[in-house]
Amino acid sequence: MQVTGGRIRPNVGDPSVLYYLDDLTVGQRFVSPTHELDAAQIKAYAAQFDPQPFHLDEDAARGTFFGGLAASGWHVASITMKLLVAGGAPIAGGVIGGGGEIAWPKPTRPGDVLHVESEVLEIAPSRSKPNRGMVTVRSETLNQKGEIVQVITIKLVVFRRPEGAIAEHAP
Amino acid sequence: MQVTGGRIRPNVGDPSVLYYLDDLTVGQRFVSPTHELDAAQIKAYAAQFDPQPFHLDEDAARGTFFGGLAASGWHVASITMKLLVAGGAPIAGGVIGGGGEIAWPKPTRPGDVLHVESEVLEIAPSRSKPNRGMVTVRSETLNQKGEIVQVITIKLVVFRRPEGAIAEHAP
């Protein structure tokens, strides 16, 4: 959903509401759907990409820095991307990131229900490519207790509405 | 392998060579094993975490920003983590990141053979927790042409060698 000036308008899962550069404003906020994480998902991701004891096995995790099974930070980043694509960042042309900052202030645990809240921080039209701009978005990934488990501040490539295109978003 | 003062010592895949905080020095470099990426892996990751046309289908990707099938940036980050755990960052106690910066200067394509080259940028012993420190590492992910497809600068939690522990690394 989009939160604007205290009003909440749902846009989750509505593929007809997609934002071009022209539609975005600094301070605009988007909220993603949710994702429920379990131990099996944590271990499956870890086996493929981050096979360390604290991501693979409850018993082995107990004596580590994490004090129990925790998701790989890159798994949390991957789920965050899934939630952004699923409605958390409804950008026409897709969610295309060039880079940014990432932090994991708290571990993500089995049973956590995650969602992403994003805010447009900056909009910079491209000088050399008039059909696009760079939009800086801060996306917080929160668990069911409202605790922030990840923060990313990412620069996205966002396109202007093509001339003659039917508006996909009615502001 | 570890590159020190012009000498190259292999440490890839040798689990007996693990570095505690005491063993690390600024400027120290590590090189990971390689990972060969193909279209099937790109699509499988995308289907799970980043289901956008330019990561899912060659034909659909052609008319997009990427001009062809490209791996999700978070897939490249996940493979990078796999390569760090597989010998690219041989840290005793594991590769535990608190956050940092990430950039994807070039797309990663089917057929790319990736490896990671890392350098220790900064070592900061903890003031409050004498058994550990924060180590800033810059890790470049390169393809078979030597092009940098991802750069991360990450702060890792690294532990001191426990008193009485047998040295896992002979400097």
Side-chain angles (χ1 to χ4, degrees), chain A:
Chain A
M1 64 186 77
Q2 182 199 2
V3 185
T4 314
R7 261 186 333 139
I8 294 179
R9 278 187 308 183
N11 65 21
V12 174
D14 180 350
S16 72
V17 183
L18 290 174
Y19 292 67
Y20 286 101
L21 190 66
D22 318 75
D23 307 316
L24 295 172
T25 53
V26 171
Q28 208 165 15
R29 292 177 63 82
F30 301 100
V31 179
S32 82
T34 58
H35 178 92
E36 188 170 347
L37 192 64
D38 61 26
Q41 292 170 46
I42 290 174
K43 294 174 191 177
Y45 177 93
Q48 198 176 357
F49 294 118
D50 192 351
Q52 302 193 88
F54 32 76
H55 302 319
L56 283 171
D57 183 86
E58 284 86 349
D59 289 339
R62 216 159 284 143
T64 69
F65 175 80
F66 291 100
L69 194 69
S72 169
W74 302 108
H75 188 192
V76 179
S78 297
I79 293 167
T80 297
M81 189 63 192
K82 184 194 118 156
L83 292 173
L84 291 175
V85 171
I91 308 295
V95 184
I96 303 171
E101 288 172 26
I102 190 163
W104 299 284
K106 282 187 78 79
T108 297
R109 303 291 189 179
D112 277 3
V113 180
L114 304 176
H115 77 280
V116 185
E117 301 190 6
S118 299
E119 181 175 351
V120 176
L121 296 188
E122 199 182 334
I123 300 171
S126 170
R127 289 177 192 179
S128 58
K129 291 171 179 162
N131 72 334
R132 70 189 68 173
M134 294 300 293
V135 176
T136 306
V137 175
R138 176 186 161 95
S139 296
E140 296 178 346
T141 306
L142 299 105
N143 64 22
Q144 69 284 1
K145 299 176 203 158
E147 297 166 333
I148 298 171
V149 295
Q150 182 185 279
V151 184
I152 52 173
T153 305
I154 294 279
K155 281 185 196 290
L156 302 177
V157 178
V158 181
F159 292 91
R160 288 199 179 281
R161 179 178 289 111
E163 276 186 54
I166 295 162
E168 290 184 81
H169 161 66

